[in-house]
Structures are given as C-alpha cells and as structure tokens.
Amino acid sequence: MRNLRLDALRDPAAPLAFLEGYEEAAAKADLFWQDRAAGSGEGSATARQFIAELPDGSWAGSLTVLMEEAGTEDWAGFPVERRQGHVVGVYVRPEHRGNGLIKAMFDAGVTWAWGRGAERVRLLVHEDNERAQGAYRKTGFGPSGVRVPFVKDAARHQLEFVLDR
C-alpha cells in the first residue's frame, strides 16, 4: 500500500489529485501504513480500499471509499445531507490506464457503498484535472454543480462528481 501511494504521489498530476505530498507521505512510519490498511480492510464498515492486483501479484491501482453519515460534516466541514460513499485516493499506474481497470475498481467501490446503504457516491476532482474528470465520466459519475475551494489554493476549486443510486 505504501509503495503504490508513493508512486501515485510522484505522478505528474499528483499536485492536483492528492492533498498530501510525496515527502510528507514518505516520512510516515510503517505503523501509519499498517493502521491505514487495517482501517480500510475487510473488517471495516466505514472505509474500504480496493486494489487492482495483476496476475503476477503486483498492484496496478487502487481507490478507497469512505462512508459519510447524514447529519455529520465531511472532511472539509461541509454538512453531509444523506448517507453516501466518498471516493478518495484514486490512482492507476500509467501503463494500465485506458484499459477499463478504473471502471472495474469503481464498480467494486460503488457496489460496496450501495451494500452499506449509500444513497449516492461522490468524489471531488480538481477543476484543472481534465484527465481524471474524463475517467470519472466514463465510470458513470457526473458533476453535481458543487464547487469546493481547493485546500492547497483557495483561488482554485474541486468539483463534486456524483453517482446517484
């Protein structure tokens, strides 16, 4: 998990796609990565990480779905109006892009969220990350019209994309 995340943070789109930087993630202790894996593993009802594993055992990509409960606030302090899944940490290694892998990961993540009673699944994507927006549209997500200030630069925005049940 650590190696895949570090590779994602070295991707040219990483400054638009991820809130943490490579140096910050690389400095985290092994226990952090173990806790993250356990917190999004099969036993968790609040988060699940989906890994695209190749026949040789290597990992080609991943995404995580966090469950958000109605009546709470999301990570940015905005109210959550309904039970929903929130997709984060989407990454596919460059050599595996464009072959349907991202759709398979999204299908698994959305199915998991529906199984936990989500009314919709959402994600946030930087307004300038057109490649990611195109990929998300192909998986069935579309813009909701909600814009959220980008944490790293409040003059820029992230767009909410949603898939309603």
Side-chain angles (χ1 to χ4, degrees), residues 120-139:
R120 72 180 195 154
V121 178
R122 73 177 187 140
L123 57 87
L124 297 173
V125 58
H126 195 280
E127 62 191 348
D128 295 334
N129 195 343
E130 293 178 16
R131 183 186 79 207
Q133 290 179 42
Y136 301 149
R137 287 178 201 279
K138 287 179 182 175
T139 65

Side-chain angles (χ1 to χ4, degrees), residues 32-63:
F32 168 85
W33 298 103
Q34 291 174 23
D35 288 345
R36 180 179 260 190
S40 61
E42 287 192 23
S44 176
T46 59
R48 176 67 57 90
Q49 183 174 25
F50 295 87
I51 304 293
E53 184 176 353
L54 299 174
D56 68 1
S58 64
W59 290 6
S62 75
L63 64 78

